[in-house]
Amino acid sequence: MSHRLPARVASRFPAQVSPHHPELRWHSQQRGEWFYGDVPERVRNKFRREMFDSLTAYTYPWASLATLEIIHDFYWSVVVIDDHLDRPGFRGNVTRTRSALAHYADVLAYPDTRGTPAVPQDPNARLVQTWWHALVPRTEPAWRRRFVGHMNAWFDACCWETDQLGHNRPFEEGEFWDHRLHLFGSQTYMDMLHLDLPQAIPEHVHDSPLYQRYLNTAVECLCYFNDLISYRVEESAGSAQSNLISILKTQYGCGLEAAASHVADLYALHTQQLVDLEPQIQIVFPEHKEALHQVFGRVGRWQAGFIRWHEESGRYSDPKEEGISVPQPTS
């Protein structure tokens, strides 16, 4: 490629694969067509079950099998919703998009703000309901309130993006930055990192500006990496117009290679900021040193797994590729 991708500066821990990987594959198969049957064949071809088995196993290697199953189903729900919003009837139709997302939000409201579960009105809502009802018994109300807040922020960002793309408007830099941390549902991944922690992170620590800055910086690293890897696909397809690289080119008049190099530098800078924030947080909250150390380790392994999976899976190697080549566990 003409632009450079950053070195694996985020891989502060070697990428691992969960020892539950074979069991997770079995879980996927046991789900059967009742779980996947409503997903369009085109989506099933593009996002094979093995993709989610592998991505989940690489990015959450510490998780128990029960937690991996929940995260696996979460990935499916998010991707199916995202694909649903790209359909002709939704793309550019903010009213219809917002109506559908409001229904998904209603499903997520139970049991904390609804007395009874919402009735799923479409296949995507049934997917959301399936994994959400499995997740509820394993979480506290405070965790769910935070997670639902992040999901709703993602829904709002989806409406904004739908409006921009549907009307062929280039992304304006200020609006892009306002929505950046919520696009792709990225902040929900940070919530998933806190599942099954032996020692929970107290709310006053989690909600502190320093800790939130740490989590947001981790999301920004993911976003910058996604900009670069997405640009690789768009460039090969002859259309680079929907991410930060194209914004830099359009609004600052730089070439695409210079814009990609700048994003790579931002990625490396934010990764270093992430490393620098860890000791600062431990100094401020010394009584929670052990729990924080586990979170920091999870963030590093999550980043390493995310990068490794993208590099090895073939997910972005060919924009016309129908299938997914699955990375296998290392011995």
Side-chain angles (χ1 to χ4, degrees):
M1 308 301 294
S2 59
H3 64 280
R4 61 189 175 92
L5 285 172
R8 287 186 179 180
V9 290
S11 302
R12 293 175 286 130
F13 297 83
Q16 303 172 35
V17 65
S18 169
H20 301 291
H21 190 222
E23 290 88 345
L24 181 62
R25 182 69 55 82
W26 181 84
H27 160 77
S28 176
Q29 294 169 347
Q30 289 297 110
R31 278 295 193 187
E33 289 303 316
W34 72 268
F35 187 75
Y36 300 101
D38 290 321
V39 180
E41 183 177 0
R42 178 177 64 84
V43 182
R44 289 204 300 270
N45 288 339
K46 185 178 181 182
F47 299 102
R48 295 181 187 275
R49 299 175 200 177
E50 289 84 354
M51 164 187 170
F52 291 94
D53 297 345
S54 182
L55 180 57
T56 305
Y58 270 130
T59 54
Y60 301 92
W62 62 83
S64 66
L65 178 59
T67 301
L68 280 177
E69 291 172 353
I70 287 173
I71 297 173
H72 171 277
D73 296 348
F74 159 72
Y75 271 122
W76 257 100
S77 302
V78 168
V79 169
V80 170
I81 288 174
D82 187 65
D83 182 83
H84 187 65
L85 298 181
D86 283 337
R87 296 180 181 181
F90 285 88
R91 195 174 181 85
N93 189 330
V94 179
T95 300
R96 188 177 179 189
T97 298
R98 193 171 293 279
S99 176
L101 294 178
H103 179 55
Y104 304 150
D106 198 32
V107 172
L108 294 172
Y110 176 79
D112 298 304
T113 58
R114 283 183 60 96
T116 56
V119 178
Q121 298 175 359
D122 60 59
N124 299 322
R126 287 198 292 274
L127 287 172
V128 173
Q129 185 187 59
T130 297
W131 70 261
W132 186 244
H133 284 194
L135 182 66
V136 164
R138 300 174 57 83
T139 55
E140 298 296 327
W143 187 97
R144 293 195 296 274
R145 284 194 299 270
R146 183 171 72 236
F147 183 87
V148 170
H150 288 156
M151 287 291 286
N152 286 334
W154 174 53
F155 292 161
D156 287 339
C158 284
C159 290
W160 168 79
E161 186 178 45
T162 294
D163 187 47
Q164 301 298 304
L165 296 178
H167 292 88
N168 294 316
R169 287 196 292 263
F171 287 178
E172 193 276 324
E173 185 186 15
E175 290 183 335
F176 182 82
W177 286 116
D178 288 342
H179 292 87
R180 184 169 182 76
L181 289 179
H182 304 300
L183 288 172
F184 322 115
S186 301
Q187 288 184 311
T188 57
Y189 301 153
M190 297 299 100
D191 291 321
M192 290 294 180
L193 291 174
H194 292 77
L195 286 177
D196 282 350
L197 266 183
Q199 288 184 275
I201 301 294
E203 279 193 79
H204 77 277
V205 176
H206 188 281
D207 295 340
S208 66
L210 190 59
Y211 193 76
Q212 284 298 306
R213 182 185 170 195
Y214 177 79
L215 297 181
N216 287 342
T217 301
V219 172
E220 287 176 331
C221 290
L222 166 64
C223 290
Y224 287 128
F225 180 79
N226 190 75
D227 286 327
L228 291 164
I229 207 74
S230 296
Y231 176 65
R232 175 186 292 175
V233 174
E234 294 179 349
E235 184 186 48
S236 63
S239 173
Q241 57 184 343
S242 63
N243 57 45
L244 178 59
I245 292 171
S246 63
I247 290 176
L248 294 173
K249 175 181 178 294
T250 302
Q251 298 194 204
Y252 294 98
C254 59
L256 287 174
E257 183 174 354
S261 295
H262 181 61
V263 173
D265 291 339
L266 288 172
Y267 174 54
L269 174 64
H270 281 74
T271 301
Q272 186 59 52
Q273 290 177 351
L274 198 67
V275 175
D276 294 340
L277 281 168
E278 293 178 354
Q280 297 178 38
I281 297 173
Q282 288 186 322
I283 290 173
V284 175
F285 303 106
E287 68 276 21
H288 302 292
K289 183 176 181 179
E290 183 177 345
L292 290 169
H293 181 72
Q294 289 190 3
V295 171
F296 300 155
R298 289 183 175 195
V299 168
R301 288 189 292 272
W302 172 79
Q303 288 182 312
F306 187 88
I307 293 171
R308 174 177 174 175
W309 179 82
H310 277 75
E311 289 177 340
E312 296 183 1
S313 69
R315 167 78 169 87
Y316 293 101
S317 62
D318 183 354
K320 302 180 182 62
E321 187 176 28
E322 289 293 331
I324 303 295
S325 59
V326 183
Q328 298 300 316
T330 56
S331 57

